[in-house]
Amino acid sequence: MSERAAPFYCPYCGDEDLRPSEAAEASHGAWECAACNRAFQLKFLGLLARGVQRTDPGGDRI
């Protein structure tokens, strides 16, 4: 099994100064933002049954 992916930026303020949460009650996927002093958790919910569908007809027209 591979390592879990880390977020690149805070979903609240956009800063990149993130650290894994070390709080005793924190579970896997918990992160702390040093810039805005918020904590958040990432969780994978699963794959969609329908998959990825494209809603537009295609690329740019020339």
Side-chain angles (χ1 to χ4, degrees), residues 3-5 10 16 25 29 33 36-37 41 43 45-46 48-49 54 58-59:
E3 273 188 46
R4 295 184 183 261
C10 174
E16 298 177 355
E25 67 276 356
C33 176
C36 68
N37 202 32
Q41 185 175 13
K43 182 178 179 181
L45 298 177
L48 300 175
R54 203 173 175 151

Side-chain angles (χ1 to χ4, degrees), residues 2 4 6-10 12-13 16 27-28 30 33 35-38 40 43 47-48 52 54 58-59:
S2 63
R4 295 184 183 261
F8 293 110
Y9 56 89
C10 174
Y12 298 100
C13 71
E16 298 177 355
S27 61
H28 294 291
C33 176
C36 68
N37 202 32
R38 287 186 170 115
F40 59 94
K43 182 178 179 181
L47 297 174
L48 300 175
V52 178
R54 203 173 175 151

